[in-house]
Amino acid sequence: MNLRTQTFLLPWLDVLAIASWGILLLKYWLNGKLGLLIHPDYFWLVTLTALVMLTICGLQVRELRRRRSCASRVAHLTLFPPGLSSSILLLTALLGLVFTPHIFTSQIALQRGVTDTVAMTRAQPQAFRSSRPPEERTLVDWVRMLNVYPEPDEYTGQKVNVQGFVIHPPELPPNLLMLSRFVITCCAADAYPVGLPVKLDQTSKAYPSDSWLEVQGQMITENLAGKRQLTIQASSIRQITEPKNPYDY
Amino acid sequence: MDQKLNNAFTLFLSLLVEAMPFLLLGVLFSGVLLLFIDERRLIAKLPKNPMLGALVGSFIGFLFPVCECGNVPVARRLLMQGVSAPVAIGFLLAAPTINPIVIWATWTAFRDQPEIVVLRIVFSLIIATIVGWMFSVQTNLRPLLQPAIALAIKQPEPEGRVLARRESEGSELLRSGTFLLGSQPGQMLRLDASVLQATLVATPPAQSQIKRLSLLLENTVQELRELGAVLIVGSAIAAAIQVLVPREVILNLGAGPVSSVAAMMLLSGLVSICSTVDSFFALSFASMFTSGSLLAFLVFGPMIDLKGVGLLLSIFKPRAVIYLFVVAAQLTFLLTLFINLYVS
């Protein structure tokens, strides 16, 4: 790379790379995809970052244009060869602009271990809403409750009306499926699945993995893999579309 | 496969989107504070006792919130201005962890496991103080330093000349910072935070405001680009491991009290992710690895990693870098293993 490219083109590449990230973050904020990636508590932080990045780019553009007349000023030799860092940044931002992220699938849930249903929530039940009538509790409310009062028989006969996506853990009998939600505390990186088994009258294969269901029924206790396990006996199952915000908090 | 790619991509993007604000904050904050803190007055107030000095040095990160890429130039400048070895080493090892931005980022990531946040700080302090204290035994630090630094300590030159000295030793590929192209072809002057500051101080007041802003801007753009690229590579590695490595392998590795710590320390050394954002990287392993191993990652990574070694070699001779590495690694291993075996 000759001196000319280094001193004139690379600074512009830097600006372009940072600007592309500002635009990407703004885009996620505007089209609501931010919720797929991070906890809502940090939306403002990301939006602010996007604005600051664009401001920095604006200032730097002014600076570069002002400086164009003066001869070579600063070139960078850094950890990566010149131009590589900005190319990595730019390329990743373009990837993000072209491809839309999707919510995790059941594959991640199985990878992270949805199987041990009860021992699974890490989050303390900060908003513990036991006063809610059973049919208004979400899947996550149920699992949190179960963490505090683990005796499944306590809940027998209570009405259930929950939404979630389907996982087929290999160790479940064929007439059961796992209805799950991902819970996040910071970003999708710490998404962990919580779920309850659902007992069907037919084979669970009728409901493919990752499809979203609304399940109504009542609580029973099943013996699964030698463990007594709170289970939903389904009375009606409805296919639903993926909710706008698929995570729970 | 399609699903795996989708999952990896979502994980990758979520790490980046959550980490970017903290990276920007770290870069801006350290750039601005470099302009406002008067080091000479700070140095005059430092304690002479080696143990205390190392402890105080570990806390200087609160004034210079730098990650492990920014702390080396600052430590080098401190050494050249006559700060004692324990203080400089304490700063070098602890500053990337013990500063407000990193603590906030760690808290963001591990809100539901506050013990990780607290123990990260405590362990970093313990290790930095012990290593700094050990280095105080070597009263004459010069044999361990690169000749240029040792020389600078012995007979202080006028500031501008020392800092903008010509780089002639070693490969420059692994040296971070800005380089000014000299008037002769092939001649390079190294510019780092210290030169930035020296230039700022030396700038005549008439045009100083614009020039200061312009240098600060230059510094911000560069660091953002450089550290952003490392962050992207690190996040890609984290996402790939999560999705591609079979669950049994990760679980076996992650559940063992010893194997998990060893694996995470190795990972932290290789990935070289910036300390302002490494807690998000660790978070993606939180469900599968022991708490001790997550701590090992968070404590050891900021002290020594592949990227940092290149920078450390700009201050110390290889022998000293090996000492630092071995002692810090052993202490991290012991402390976090203790957590795995006796606490969690």
Side-chain angles (χ1 to χ4, degrees):
Chain A
M1 196 178 295
N2 62 33
L3 204 67
R4 205 184 138 75
T5 8
Q6 279 205 12
T7 42
F8 287 99
L9 286 184
L10 288 182
W12 289 100
L13 190 63
D14 292 348
V15 172
L16 201 62
I18 295 173
S20 64
W21 267 96
I23 293 167
L24 179 69
L25 296 182
L26 267 189
K27 184 193 154 190
Y28 283 154
W29 177 56
L30 290 174
N31 69 7
K33 292 290 177 197
L34 218 46
L36 277 183
L37 300 174
I38 62 169
H39 193 284
D41 282 5
Y42 304 107
F43 283 5
W44 66 272
L45 200 62
V46 172
T47 317
L48 192 67
T49 304
L51 296 177
V52 172
M53 279 179 156
L54 291 175
T55 311
I56 290 174
C57 290
L59 289 173
Q60 183 73 353
V61 165
R62 208 184 59 174
E63 182 70 22
L64 287 175
R65 291 177 60 166
R66 198 173 58 79
R67 198 198 289 166
R68 193 150 51 170
S69 49
C70 350
S72 79
R73 246 195 58 150
V74 184
H76 322 296
L77 252 195
T78 43
L79 196 66
F80 296 123
L84 184 63
S85 311
S86 6
S87 308
I88 293 177
L89 274 171
L90 185 60
L91 217 71
T92 312
L94 289 180
L95 270 179
L97 286 169
V98 175
F99 299 104
T100 324
H102 293 286
I103 185 184
F104 286 144
T105 59
S106 51
Q107 184 246 340
I108 280 274
L110 287 174
Q111 171 97 0
R112 299 203 169 175
V114 73
T115 46
D116 193 6
T117 344
V118 184
M120 199 158 47
T121 38
R122 282 193 289 124
Q124 272 88 44
Q126 288 152 339
F128 190 62
R129 290 160 296 206
S130 62
S131 53
R132 276 192 182 184
E135 60 271 25
E136 283 179 23
R137 289 178 200 146
T138 66
L139 198 56
V140 178
D141 289 340
W142 277 108
V143 175
R144 287 199 174 132
M145 247 179 116
L146 207 53
N147 263 22
V148 184
Y149 310 108
E151 172 50 51
D153 284 347
E154 281 288 308
Y155 309 97
T156 304
Q158 293 193 352
K159 277 189 186 157
V160 188
N161 179 9
V162 290
Q163 301 182 338
F165 66 94
V166 177
I167 304 177
H168 292 294
E171 63 277 9
L172 275 191
N175 65 332
L176 276 102
L177 57 80
M178 186 75 79
L179 195 69
S180 312
R181 289 297 285 260
F182 276 111
V183 176
I184 69 175
T185 47
C186 160
C187 56
D190 68 283
Y192 60 101
V194 300
L196 286 175
V198 178
K199 194 176 183 185
L200 310 168
D201 298 329
Q202 46 170 328
T203 163
S204 63
K205 293 286 172 267
Y207 303 100
S209 288
D210 299 314
S211 57
W212 283 79
L213 302 179
E214 185 176 83
V215 176
Q216 291 177 349
Q218 56 174 353
M219 284 304 185
I220 53 168
T221 305
E222 278 284 297
N223 248 313
L224 298 175
K227 238 172 71 184
R228 289 164 64 247
Q229 167 72 53
L230 186 68
T231 305
I232 304 170
Q233 171 75 58
S235 55
S236 97
I237 295 186
R238 196 163 62 88
Q239 299 253 7
I240 53 171
T241 51
E242 182 187 312
K244 195 168 175 300
N245 193 346
Y247 300 116
D248 210 320
Y249 308 104
Chain B
M1 194 60 222
D2 205 29
Q3 267 194 15
K4 285 192 174 181
L5 200 63
N6 166 40
N7 290 336
F9 188 62
T10 305
L11 186 67
F12 174 63
L13 273 178
S14 91
L15 283 174
L16 288 175
V17 168
E18 184 74 56
M20 237 9 135
F22 291 96
L23 190 66
L24 179 70
L25 202 64
V27 167
L28 280 179
F29 206 43
S30 64
V32 168
L33 277 181
L34 268 180
L35 305 184
F36 291 112
I37 288 185
D38 186 348
E39 282 163 29
R40 265 160 290 188
R41 278 175 53 195
L42 178 74
I43 290 166
K45 288 193 182 131
L46 290 172
K48 296 281 174 283
N49 176 295
M51 186 84 173
L52 220 55
L55 189 66
V56 170
S58 308
F59 277 111
I60 298 182
F62 267 103
L63 299 176
F64 298 96
V66 287
C67 70
E68 72 264 34
C69 345
N71 69 336
V72 173
V74 177
R76 192 170 63 181
R77 194 165 67 237
L78 291 176
L79 268 177
M80 289 198 295
Q81 290 183 356
V83 158
S84 70
V87 177
I89 304 263
F91 172 79
L92 198 62
L93 295 181
T97 313
I98 301 181
N99 75 57
I101 293 168
V102 174
I103 293 174
W104 185 25
T106 316
W107 172 251
T108 303
F110 289 97
R111 261 194 308 183
D112 55 351
Q113 290 164 279
E115 67 276 11
I116 296 249
V117 187
V118 175
L119 287 176
R120 180 182 196 187
I121 299 169
V122 172
F123 283 1
S124 301
L125 263 184
I126 293 176
I127 296 173
T129 310
I130 291 179
V131 179
W133 189 37
M134 278 173 59
F135 269 71
S136 72
V137 176
Q138 178 91 13
T139 39
N140 184 1
L141 205 57
R142 276 177 211 121
L144 293 176
L145 297 174
Q146 291 289 354
I149 311 275
L151 207 67
I153 296 181
K154 209 167 354 185
Q155 27 174 242
E157 290 175 50
E159 208 172 327
R161 288 221 347 250
V162 182
L163 297 174
R165 84 203 137 79
R166 180 154 176 212
E167 285 286 324
S168 52
E169 343 80 50
S171 153
E172 280 168 347
L173 185 65
L174 278 174
R175 308 268 178 92
S176 194
T178 308
F179 291 79
L180 292 172
L181 289 176
S183 48
Q184 309 292 318
Q187 182 192 5
M188 295 243 183
L189 288 174
R190 190 179 154 82
L191 175 64
D192 55 30
S194 46
V195 183
L196 171 74
Q197 201 189 33
T199 321
L200 284 168
V201 171
T203 308
Q207 42 169 321
S208 71
Q209 283 309 328
I210 301 169
K211 204 139 196 197
R212 264 166 196 262
L213 180 69
S214 130
L215 277 169
L216 184 64
L217 205 60
E218 185 75 41
N219 183 58
T220 307
V221 169
Q222 266 183 61
E223 292 215 346
L224 211 52
R225 174 199 64 192
E226 183 87 350
L227 303 181
V230 178
L231 171 65
I232 288 176
V233 173
S235 304
I237 294 174
I241 293 177
Q242 297 282 311
V243 177
L244 296 180
V245 178
R247 174 176 154 75
E248 293 71 36
V249 176
I250 293 197
L251 280 186
N252 281 338
L253 210 59
V258 179
S259 66
S260 62
V261 170
M264 272 308 192
M265 280 176 66
L266 186 68
L267 202 60
S268 73
L270 294 179
V271 170
S272 302
I273 196 165
C274 185
S275 68
T276 20
V277 290
D278 62 356
S279 37
F280 303 110
F281 183 101
L283 182 62
S284 63
F285 291 89
S287 58
M288 294 169 292
F289 274 75
T290 58
S291 308
S293 66
L294 297 176
L295 269 172
F297 180 92
L298 293 172
V299 170
F300 187 63
M303 294 184 179
I304 284 151
D305 57 30
L306 208 54
K307 174 188 62 179
V309 166
L311 292 170
L312 281 177
L313 284 172
S314 69
I315 305 185
F316 295 107
K317 288 193 174 155
R319 188 158 56 106
V321 176
I322 292 173
Y323 287 161
L324 278 176
F325 172 83
V326 170
V327 178
Q330 282 176 343
L331 286 172
T332 312
F333 188 79
L334 288 178
L335 286 171
T336 55
L337 192 65
F338 177 80
I339 292 293
N340 270 350
L341 292 179
Y342 296 105
V343 181
S344 61

